[in-house]
Amino acid sequence: MRAITKIKRLAAVLLTMVLGFGLVACTDAAASSSGKNGSFRTVDEIKQNGTINIGVFSDKNPFGYVDENGKYQGYDVYFAERIGKDLGVKVNFVSTEAANRIEYLQTGKVDIILANFTVTKERQEEVDFALPYMNVALGVVSRNDKVITSLDNWNKNDSMIVISGTTAETYLIENYPDIPLQKFDSYATAKEAFENGTSVAWANDNTEVIAFSLQNPGYTVGIPSLGSSDTIAPAVTKGNTTLADWINGEIEGLEAEQFFHADYDATLTATYGSEYKESLVVEGGKVK
Amino acid sequence: MLDLGIDVLFKGTNFLRLLGGLWVAMRISLISIALSIPLGLLTGVLMTSKSKIIRFIFRVYLEMIRIMPQLVLLFLVYFGTTRALGWNLSGEMASIIVFVLWGTAEMGDLVRGSLISVPKHQYESSEALGMTKGQTYLYIILPQTVRRLLPLSINLITRMIKTTSLVLMIGVVEMLKVAQQIIEANRMTSQNAAFGVFLVVFILYFLVCWPFSRLAGFLEKKWQG
């Protein structure tokens, strides 16, 4: 009986030691990198540290993606790099997902989110948005031989394609409950179905449908802007006013050189052409 | 010919980045496995303890880990420790902590199962031969346990390797995330790239997991003889 009790005691002690050591090691690592303010870092703290953490998408071409050489690129990234340059700090890009953007800000693991973040009332309660730098709305694409320019007087035999869980789906269910919807889980399956002619139209973010019509001849975006138009803006941790104010000043200051037009030219023209520049770009934080 | 779009992997440093992602996944899983096995053995022994309190504590630990999806655990450790304790763990460190907690719990339960499956007469015979409890465990029980344990733990190990695909949710760029990045970056020019890239990802996961099942098969055969 004695020996086994000893083994158990030894095991318990070892386990405690390992776990304890793990905890100590972690706290040490934390002490060196976390800000004094706890949940967020002020502009001065970021400048002092020399690196700003910016959360961007790494797989949303052409807004935030990684090119074949492992470098971050895109409309959001172009602006992020300018922020780093004007703050005089290095930019550390953090790959975020749509589902964890708010969490990243609330825990101060990134200073700014620049990940195609649409401004909504719900989100405004969780984070602070700076001035917008892009417009976003819904769009509807249809075939050239039967271009749909209005959703009124919809023929009930025709159906509309949407991707499940998108704002297009919610908007149509709320505002046009009579339109029969064909729902798909992914972009690829929706595209396949639309090309095979199962539906007369496809509703999605206008950037998506515009890109589709430009890549696929024979299709036209008859409704480029549907419903309420939203904006996309940088977001910071709730209460981080120094950083939000700094970004607002930056966006207003960049109007003189038409920075976001240049950003569009450099990153979005290849996908959307220059036709949609004025409707997508928001310059100086002023929505027209 | 069927266009799988594999050519996107040969643009720039794409393939190297994919292998780099595989290395990140392997680093997380191998470190976690290396820590989970000894910790799991200890936990397993403690789970068969005669003390009700110790058994209860480990039962609660095991059930908590088992009930919660790994994704929730990752969020809890990565974001939760920052909120509650102000720690700023790196994504990789948080992943290793979660995988070790998970691996230890599951491994411990496997060890417990194997230990109680050793017939009682094995203990009694060793005692009759004048062995101490320590000797009994070391020479009689553990060798039999390990044999029973092997297929089960290989299953756990390969699961741990494959579950690293979840850590992209806490900002760790591993193989699957790199694959998504490559597919999306080429979405306009090569629309079938998803098939080709995921096929390669499948092959890479297979190449990594296969040696483990081979090793298990080899050891099982060796110990049979």
Side-chain angles (χ1 to χ4, degrees):
Chain A
M1 234 19 240
R2 270 264 170 85
I4 188 71
T5 332
K6 258 188 195 165
I7 289 181
K8 274 179 194 162
R9 263 193 211 146
L10 194 68
V13 170
L14 272 174
L15 204 65
T16 326
M17 271 169 57
V18 171
L19 288 177
F21 173 74
L23 293 188
V24 171
C26 303
T27 349
D28 279 353
S32 57
S33 59
S34 75
K36 287 181 215 87
N37 229 325
S39 60
F40 60 80
R41 303 191 301 168
T42 62
V43 173
D44 289 337
E45 281 170 335
I46 293 166
K47 279 185 179 162
Q48 230 164 41
N49 180 267
T51 306
I52 186 164
N53 299 315
I54 301 184
V56 293
F57 281 135
S58 65
D59 58 359
K60 294 282 177 298
N61 187 0
F63 300 103
Y65 65 100
V66 179
D67 70 8
E68 66 265 24
N69 296 312
K71 223 178 145 303
Y72 278 89
Q73 301 285 1
Y75 186 77
D76 294 338
V77 173
Y78 192 92
F79 181 38
E81 275 171 352
R82 181 62 188 256
I83 289 177
K85 195 181 140 217
D86 289 347
L87 267 176
V89 296
K90 233 181 109 248
V91 178
N92 173 36
F93 287 110
V94 179
S95 160
T96 55
E97 307 296 320
N100 63 19
R101 287 176 296 191
I102 290 180
E103 204 72 23
Y104 260 105
L105 282 177
Q106 289 184 335
T107 52
K109 283 180 184 286
V110 299
D111 300 302
I112 309 174
I113 285 281
L114 274 177
N116 220 248
F117 211 15
T118 308
V119 182
T120 65
K121 269 207 189 90
E122 293 77 27
R123 286 174 182 161
Q124 269 167 338
E125 281 164 23
E126 311 274 344
V127 300
D128 282 346
F129 285 100
L131 291 172
Y133 61 97
M134 204 178 121
N135 281 317
V136 63
L138 300 176
V140 177
V141 62
S142 41
R143 251 178 300 282
N144 279 351
D145 50 19
K146 197 188 170 196
V147 178
I148 289 166
T149 52
S150 161
L151 294 185
D152 303 321
N153 307 318
W154 186 269
N155 176 358
K156 286 218 170 106
N157 297 321
D158 292 335
S159 65
M160 168 96 87
I161 290 179
V162 292
I163 300 173
S164 308
T166 56
T167 39
E169 184 193 12
T170 349
Y171 176 82
L172 288 172
I173 291 174
E174 267 177 30
N175 297 286
Y176 295 92
D178 293 339
I179 299 179
L181 298 180
Q182 253 196 325
K183 300 180 189 180
F184 294 92
D185 280 331
S186 71
Y187 182 88
T189 46
K191 177 174 176 285
E192 183 90 12
F194 185 48
E195 284 175 343
N196 288 332
T198 61
S199 292
V200 295
W202 179 10
N204 205 346
D205 285 359
N206 60 359
T207 48
E208 293 282 342
V209 291
I210 291 167
F212 175 84
S213 75
L214 290 172
Q215 283 156 32
N216 300 277
Y219 298 93
T220 307
V221 178
I223 309 176
S225 179
L226 177 68
S228 66
S229 81
D230 288 319
T231 55
I232 285 178
V236 301
T237 312
K238 193 135 198 78
N240 194 354
T241 43
T242 60
L243 188 57
D245 290 346
W246 187 90
I247 298 171
N248 287 342
E250 174 83 356
I251 289 176
E252 282 164 355
L254 288 172
E255 190 182 1
E257 56 175 277
Q258 296 283 294
F259 174 82
F260 290 104
H261 283 77
D263 188 349
Y264 185 102
D265 291 338
T267 57
L268 300 186
T269 314
T271 315
Y272 302 118
S274 48
E275 201 184 324
Y276 296 95
K277 202 194 294 187
E278 290 312 317
S279 55
L280 288 178
V281 168
V282 175
E283 196 73 67
K286 292 169 205 147
V287 185
K288 280 166 219 151
Chain B
M1 207 197 99
L2 189 63
D3 173 26
L4 285 178
I6 291 187
D7 53 306
V8 300
L9 282 175
F10 302 106
K11 278 191 196 165
T13 56
N14 277 355
F15 194 66
L16 274 179
R17 283 173 51 221
L18 196 67
L19 290 181
L22 178 63
W23 169 236
V24 172
M26 289 310 291
R27 197 164 56 202
I28 292 173
S29 48
L30 289 183
I31 291 177
S32 310
I33 291 164
L35 288 171
S36 297
I37 290 176
L39 286 175
L41 284 170
L42 287 178
T43 310
V45 173
L46 288 170
M47 277 171 168
T48 57
S49 161
K50 288 205 171 62
S51 154
K52 267 188 183 160
I53 301 168
I54 292 181
R55 278 210 317 265
F56 176 74
I57 292 171
F58 279 91
R59 192 83 220 158
V60 170
Y61 163 57
L62 172 68
E63 293 302 335
M64 265 171 51
I65 300 285
R66 200 184 259 164
I67 287 166
M68 268 196 263
Q70 275 82 40
L71 189 58
V72 176
L73 285 173
L74 285 169
F75 267 64
L76 269 183
V77 171
Y78 186 58
F79 294 115
T81 55
T82 311
R83 272 169 194 262
L85 307 162
W87 300 351
N88 198 1
L89 302 175
S90 73
E92 222 174 298
M93 180 57 112
S95 314
I96 290 173
I97 293 176
V98 168
F99 276 61
V100 168
L101 283 175
W102 170 44
T104 303
E106 295 244 354
M107 188 71 194
D109 199 40
L110 297 180
V111 172
R112 185 192 62 85
S114 308
L115 278 177
I116 55 174
S117 76
V118 175
K120 207 178 172 200
H121 65 77
Q122 295 282 338
Y123 292 86
E124 290 166 351
S125 310
S126 335
E127 207 176 328
L129 286 170
M131 286 182 164
T132 64
K133 279 280 175 186
Q135 284 171 326
T136 310
Y137 261 88
L138 200 60
Y139 299 115
I140 310 293
I141 309 301
L142 273 181
Q144 299 184 55
T145 315
V146 169
R147 271 184 219 190
R148 284 159 212 244
L149 211 52
L150 197 71
L152 303 169
S153 39
I154 292 299
N155 184 17
L156 177 64
I157 286 172
T158 51
R159 254 166 67 216
M160 282 173 83
I161 293 174
K162 287 177 288 188
T163 310
T164 53
S165 54
L166 284 181
V167 303
L168 64 89
M169 284 308 293
I170 57 170
V172 180
V173 180
E174 45 64 74
M175 180 160 61
L176 200 67
K177 189 74 217 178
V178 177
Q180 288 174 358
Q181 289 174 352
I182 293 172
I183 291 164
E184 270 299 313
N186 295 287
R187 157 171 110 117
M188 311 293 168
T189 48
S190 180
Q191 298 184 342
N192 286 330
F195 298 105
V197 174
F198 281 134
L199 183 70
V200 172
V201 166
F202 163 79
I203 293 170
L204 287 175
Y205 272 127
F206 176 79
L207 286 180
V208 165
C209 291
W210 191 58
F212 284 102
S213 33
R214 288 293 302 169
L215 179 71
F218 170 75
L219 287 177
E220 269 177 60
K221 224 177 245 164
K222 194 179 157 199
W223 288 340
Q224 252 168 21

